[in-house]
Amino acid sequence: MKNCIVAQSGGPTSVINASAMGVFKANEELHYFDNVYAGINGIEGILNENIINLSHIDSEVINRLIYTPSSGLGSCRYKLKTYEDNKEEYIKLFEIFKKHEIDTFFYIGGNDSMDTVHKLSNYAKEHNLPVKFFGVPKTIDNDLPVMDHTPGFGSAAKFISTIALENKLDASVYTAKNVFVIEAMGRDTGWLAASSCIATLNGEPVVDLIYLPEVAFDEAKFLKDVAKKLEEKNSVIVVVSEGIRTADGTFLGEMGGTGLDKFGHAQLGGVCSYIKNVITENGVCKKVRAIELSTMQRCAMHFASQTDIDEAFNCGFAALKYSAEGESGYMIGIKRVSNAPYKSETFAVHTSKVANSIKYFPKEWINEEGNNVTKEAYEYTLPLIMGEPKIQYENGLPKYAFITK
Amino acid sequence: MKNCIVAQSGGPTSVINASAMGVFKANEELHYFDNVYAGINGIEGILNENIINLSHIDSEVINRLIYTPSSGLGSCRYKLKTYEDNKEEYIKLFEIFKKHEIDTFFYIGGNDSMDTVHKLSNYAKEHNLPVKFFGVPKTIDNDLPVMDHTPGFGSAAKFISTIALENKLDASVYTAKNVFVIEAMGRDTGWLAASSCIATLNGEPVVDLIYLPEVAFDEAKFLKDVAKKLEEKNSVIVVVSEGIRTADGTFLGEMGGTGLDKFGHAQLGGVCSYIKNVITENGVCKKVRAIELSTMQRCAMHFASQTDIDEAFNCGFAALKYSAEGESGYMIGIKRVSNAPYKSETFAVHTSKVANSIKYFPKEWINEEGNNVTKEAYEYTLPLIMGEPKIQYENGLPKYAFITK
């Protein structure tokens, strides 16, 4: 018997299941492995032998999983230590692989997961163990180096832009001046906040000001930016990254977290509520609304990008295909072949080039004022959000699959 | 010349434009009026003669407005005083009506707007002024009496349920116990929070606990409810109304608003962040996420209910039709004719029966524990969220119309 196992790791996305099902479907077509197993809850679950055989799952459920957001196989936030620091774990893991006759392990995740693939692949080579390891990219943050973009980003970008667009319409109905603040994810990089540049109305950008972690946040400058925009229009839309920080490196999200309410509860406001307070307390605008998109932006399959779903699936498919002749320790990336018409293809890259590394939003795509992005950012992001998802409906809602419980 | 004017008032919904366009399209078919004008920013805008002729707008834009969320004609929060308290305003308004040869005024809104229709209609009758006034219902809160439900509610319910469903999947990926709190709108009534009962996965409800303004909030009981659910499952989903309050009538949303951060800024947390703090500070669960759906739930046309859009349009259409022979001071309501298959029709009701009155969520649809809703609530809500909206797309996003600026 020659089996493979696929698992998911880190924060979910709308399309991570499409990648897992890409691995499974590729094997249905190519028959490289006798069984495709899934490790439930990532490497942590595999260590607990929480393993299922995907062939035992109804094919209708498999097809629905492609259009089901979040990690259908569960996830974990488990940073594998080095072999020297945790020999028992490595030994146990390879015993489990041997027991289930695992030839190949596919890990779908971001930087940390690629670090795991890298470590396990090296360990297997050094100890002549017959298991190969491959990575499949996943992160809404879009911060993996080498590749053009990551599966998960396009769908999150589409949701963020749609929310900006719709709430611009909502914020514009009254005659009173107002500011609407949207907080996007992205602790280290501004890709998600920047993606809101896609939203337009009558050809004009919807978002007036965008603040990224790549630019030091200056409160006085920010207040001036907002005041200036409020002179031009009634309703000003601001998008901020959760990771914006001041010149000395202090995260804004941490600055609002020290207040206590009258019961002594800590008031842990996010960046957007901090920003809201800054605007009102400084008298720049009385009417400010702030929304934190939180996990909604990483699981909004109901309005995901079909391009993103297809590419996520293709990455899983390509990983299985590559595994037959490819060398262990590699991962799949996405290359942009052309932008108009948009065309992408997959390629293989060694995990050492991706693990523990970050791709920042390009400085040259940020405007001189440091409060918005350029046309290049718009052109980069636009093709990634294209296409409406082919989801099934039941009783007026998307019909999602749920197999782990 | 015999003209009519339509205007929108109060908080926007996803389908309020469908009602306005229903009025316009009915006149295209029936030719009751020479012109259909729109008052921009409600009665406040009409007082400033901010009036446009809808026939001058491109028919393609009109068709897109039907599928554009928020008040395309602008809105206001303007409570008309009594004639005795503001004679000048009444006189000015009717002068503007006379100047533009307005025969009929259609006002799309909630309780307050119906109070305006009621007052103006009475004033016109008492002073023998030849202007008739009709109301068209609108509110995501679903709190207008007499009618089965209001346009706007179904689309908000669909968005809330979808977000609950998708974030249940997101919250379920890790093995650690966690609580996910969603805050829905509804200051006085719990219809919106209760509508989350629609979300199901594998036939099981997604939302574990629902708290409505109709039940006094008891913190100790709440913490017990959450702890009990956490014994049964890893991931507990809680939906709260923004209007929940303690037995003495204190809104929870006000209780979290007294903290100051280290800069002396007030930390104005919503109900969901208060609830989050209550859970963590009392040691019931360490991992709690809270999201406030805020204005997103009232403008999410990208996933609105087609049933809701159709009914909103029908209400506008019926209002114009009724205006030909009907008596001034009436509004259109929706009656449920049958539930399976779902069928509704419009009817006319005097605004005095609706103005300044509230329809609460039925006590008999709340479970004994006061922490969830019954099967009747599910069956009531389900038909209202059915159908995907027939929106146009451009560059991967909905193509919305924007005419007021």
Side-chain angles (χ1 to χ4, degrees), chain B residues 231-383:
Chain B
E231 281 171 23
E232 297 164 18
K233 49 176 77 179
N234 273 351
S235 176
V236 171
I237 313 290
V238 180
V239 176
V240 297
S241 265
E242 64 174 344
I244 53 171
R245 60 203 84 166
T246 56
D248 68 2
T250 310
F251 284 103
L252 262 67
E254 285 165 6
M255 292 165 79
T258 52
L260 296 178
D261 69 13
K262 61 182 173 183
F263 301 94
H265 301 141
Q267 289 294 101
L268 299 163
V271 175
C272 67
S273 61
Y274 180 82
I275 290 281
K276 174 182 170 171
N277 289 341
V278 164
I279 297 169
T280 52
E281 301 286 318
N282 287 283
V284 171
C285 189
K286 279 181 197 165
K287 210 179 153 193
V288 184
R289 263 194 202 264
I291 56 168
E292 188 184 344
L293 296 182
S294 187
T295 49
M296 286 184 280
Q297 69 202 286
R298 71 184 189 194
C299 60
M301 173 56 90
H302 75 272
F303 207 62
S305 152
Q306 186 61 45
T307 300
D308 190 26
I309 297 166
D310 291 341
E311 289 186 333
F313 184 90
N314 292 345
C315 283
F317 202 101
L320 188 123
K321 221 168 156 180
Y322 179 82
S323 74
E325 63 240 31
E327 204 191 327
S328 177
Y330 277 73
M331 72 176 292
I332 298 298
I334 300 172
K335 187 192 289 179
R336 189 182 303 232
V337 179
S338 69
N339 209 41
Y342 175 73
K343 204 174 168 309
S344 71
E345 60 186 32
T346 56
F347 68 102
V349 52
H350 198 264
T351 45
S352 62
K353 291 189 177 154
V354 175
N356 306 313
S357 181
I358 287 175
K359 183 180 73 177
Y360 292 98
F361 188 82
K363 283 261 192 300
E364 60 274 23
W365 290 1
I366 300 171
N367 70 352
E368 268 186 47
E369 293 254 39
N371 61 16
N372 214 321
V373 298
T374 66
K375 203 166 159 273
E376 284 77 13
Y378 177 87
E379 284 163 3
Y380 165 85
T381 312
L382 183 61

Side-chain angles (χ1 to χ4, degrees), chain B residues 73-98:
Chain B
L73 311 176
S75 188
C76 66
R77 292 222 180 258
Y78 193 76
K79 180 103 179 164
L80 193 73
K81 289 181 182 155
T82 59
Y83 171 62
E84 291 68 33
D85 286 338
N86 200 347
K87 286 182 190 176
E88 294 73 20
E89 205 161 75
Y90 281 71
I91 290 163
K92 187 178 175 192
L93 191 64
F94 279 83
E95 275 171 4
I96 292 164
F97 286 150
K98 196 174 175 186

Side-chain angles (χ1 to χ4, degrees), chain A residues 41 70 75 77 158 166-167 169-170 173-174 202 256 259-260 262 266-267 277 295 298-300 302 396 400 402, chain B residues 41 70 75 77 158 166-167 169-170 173-174 202 256 258-260 266-267 277 295 298-300 302 396 400 402:
Chain A
N41 295 116
S70 187
S75 189
R77 292 222 180 258
K158 183 166 182 155
E166 292 178 336
N167 285 274
L169 291 168
D170 187 276
V173 302
Y174 299 118
N202 293 354
L260 297 176
K262 61 181 175 187
Q267 290 294 102
N277 290 341
T295 49
R298 70 184 191 195
C299 61
H302 74 273
Y400 294 139
F402 192 53
Chain B
N41 296 118
S70 188
S75 188
R77 292 222 180 258
K158 183 165 183 154
E166 291 178 337
N167 285 275
L169 291 168
D170 187 275
V173 301
Y174 299 117
N202 293 353
T258 52
L260 296 178
Q267 289 294 101
N277 289 341
T295 49
R298 71 184 189 194
C299 60
H302 75 272
Y400 294 139
F402 193 54

